[in-house]
């Protein structure tokens, strides 16, 4: 099964949080709907993964699975990692590769950092076992019927002691969207499930991982999608939608302190994304197991 469908593909229903995939189609990212042509260095403050809770070390080998436009891959590259950005969408992979090259030329990545963009299948990753120190999968699993299969593949390629970051739409804000609009999710490749936090964490544990932290992100984006669903997901002309759209673009581009503080306060209540961090435990050594 391919990892994801082009986020630029039509229809534009079933939007997803910023966040930045499968035989199922995938709608455009929120950032792609809000912003002018993509620029990696402008995205740092809208990352869904919080790298203060999910630290990277220079030289860490990182897989950004279902990378989309590449926002998390770019941040990892900038932090000195050896990054592989994987997606099924050839067009997006070409764009991500171009931006990797531009970042290298501009000196945005430290010495020793590497970056590769490649097509691939989330259910049959083209890597040996225990290949990566870190795996990131952001706003992908809600699109994939065999989410347990994807988790199993991520665990397979992750080294013992390695870390995984998983982000999905949060249950409450997402349920409001589904209630307001069938067009939000009833589209080819759209969201096929809404995860409750306990359900996702249970699947993470079942896959053999040990969760160590969670949080919510992008509270200011939830009302935007509620408005979109209320007025029509394809209706960009409704005054409330247009006004809130301008607010979000201003926030993304200017990063004012007021909206940063407001979003931090609102994230526990209406954060659009649920983020979970987990580690892959080390297996007991054979000698230790035999001694027991």
């Amino acid at each position: 099964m391919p990892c994801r469908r082009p986020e630029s593909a039509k229809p534009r229903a079933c939007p997803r949080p910023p966040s930045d995939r499968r035989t199922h189609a995938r709608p455009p990212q929120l950032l792609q709907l809000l912003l002018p042509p993509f620029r990696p260095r402008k995205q740092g403050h809208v990352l869904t993964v919080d790298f203060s809770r999910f630290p990277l070390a220079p030289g860490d080998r990182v897989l950004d699975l279902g990378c989309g436009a590449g926002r998390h891959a770019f941040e990892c590259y900038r932090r000195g990692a050896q990054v592989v950005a994987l997606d099924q969408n050839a067009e997006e992979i070409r764009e991500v590769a171009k931006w990797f090259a531009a970042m290298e030329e501009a000196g945005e990545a430290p010495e020793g950092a590497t970056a590769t963009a490649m097509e691939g299948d989330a259910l049959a990753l083209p890597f040996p076992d225990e290949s990566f120190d870190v795996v990131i999968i952001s706003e992908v699993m809600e699109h994939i019927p065999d989410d347990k299969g994807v988790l199993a593949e991520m665990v397979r390629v992750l080294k013992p002691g390695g870390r995984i970051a998983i982000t999905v739409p949060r249950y409450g804000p997402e349920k409001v969207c589904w209630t307001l609009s069938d067009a939000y999710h009833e589209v080819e490749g759209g969201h096929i499930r809404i995860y409750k936090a306990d359900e996702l964490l249970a699947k993470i544990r079942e896959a053999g991982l040990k969760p160590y932290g969670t949080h919510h992100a992008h509270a200011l984006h939830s009302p935007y999608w509620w408005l979109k669903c209320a007025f029509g997901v394809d209706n960009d002309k409704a005054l409330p939608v247009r006004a809130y759209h301008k607010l979000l673009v201003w926030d993304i581009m200017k990063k004012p302190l007021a909206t940063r503080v407001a979003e931090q306060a609102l994230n526990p209540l209406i954060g659009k994304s649920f983020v979970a961090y987990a580690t892959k435990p080390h297996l007991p050594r054979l000698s230790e197991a035999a001694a027991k």
Side-chain angles (χ1 to χ4, degrees):
M1 177 181 296
C3 181
R4 51 174 292 195
R5 170 199 175 173
E7 293 183 357
S8 58
K10 300 294 183 179
R12 289 178 59 183
C14 186
R16 49 184 293 264
S19 24
D20 12 223
R21 300 146 156 175
R22 323 137 296 222
T23 53
H24 290 262
R26 184 189 180 93
Q29 290 188 34
L30 174 58
L31 292 178
Q32 289 176 307
L33 297 179
L34 292 176
L35 291 176
F38 178 77
R39 298 294 183 270
R41 67 180 64 189
K42 290 183 180 179
Q43 284 211 63
H45 76 298
V46 289
L47 295 169
T48 309
V49 173
D50 181 350
F51 286 94
S52 68
R53 309 184 195 208
F54 191 70
L56 295 182
D60 275 352
R61 186 162 166 79
V62 178
L63 172 63
D64 185 0
L65 179 55
C67 64
R71 61 204 175 90
H72 288 109
F74 297 140
E75 181 65 19
C76 293
Y77 186 34
R78 192 176 290 112
R79 289 171 177 264
Q82 298 176 4
V83 183
V84 176
L86 184 143
D87 201 287
Q88 75 141 15
N89 181 0
E91 181 179 352
E92 283 190 321
I93 285 299
R94 284 193 293 270
E95 287 300 309
V96 170
K98 288 178 183 178
W99 281 112
F100 280 150
M103 291 173 69
E104 181 181 13
E105 184 177 352
E108 290 191 40
E111 185 176 355
T114 62
T116 303
M118 62 183 295
E119 293 180 65
D121 183 342
L123 288 169
L125 294 173
F127 310 110
D129 295 357
E130 301 179 4
S131 297
F132 294 94
D133 303 291
V134 171
V135 177
I136 296 171
I137 183 167
S138 183
E139 312 301 313
V140 174
M141 289 180 57
E142 67 275 12
H143 297 268
I144 304 178
D146 187 9
D147 56 348
K148 292 184 178 180
V150 174
L151 275 168
E153 272 295 89
M154 291 191 291
V155 172
R156 180 184 68 79
V157 301
L158 187 66
K159 297 177 182 178
R163 303 177 308 286
I164 281 183
I166 299 173
T167 89
V168 297
R170 184 183 185 177
Y171 183 85
E174 183 77 352
K175 187 67 174 179
V176 172
C177 290
W178 284 47
T179 300
L180 290 172
S181 173
D182 290 337
Y184 175 82
H185 64 96
E186 291 182 356
V187 59
E188 182 187 1
H191 299 184
I192 62 172
R193 67 175 65 83
I194 307 176
Y195 287 103
K196 292 184 177 180
D198 290 347
E199 175 193 0
L200 180 60
L201 292 172
K203 289 187 176 184
I204 290 171
R205 293 187 181 98
E206 184 181 344
L209 299 168
K210 184 176 180 180
Y212 70 84
T214 65
H215 64 90
H216 302 97
H218 311 309
L220 295 183
H221 296 273
S222 292
Y224 175 74
W225 290 117
W226 297 340
L227 289 170
K228 287 279 287 182
C229 290
F231 286 93
V233 290
D234 293 317
N235 181 7
D236 295 323
K237 296 182 179 180
L239 181 59
V241 174
R242 290 168 55 195
Y244 205 93
H245 178 275
K246 289 181 179 179
L247 170 66
L248 288 182
V249 172
W250 172 73
D251 172 53
I252 289 170
M253 303 302 290
K254 300 298 183 181
K255 310 178 188 178
L257 177 61
T259 56
R260 296 300 91 214
V261 171
E263 185 157 72
Q264 287 298 317
L266 291 170
N267 274 337
L269 301 174
I270 59 170
K272 187 72 167 70
S273 293
F274 174 71
V275 187
Y277 305 112
T279 60
K280 179 178 178 177
H282 288 275
L283 295 176
R285 295 178 182 175
L286 292 177
S287 58
E288 294 176 354
K292 293 180 181 180

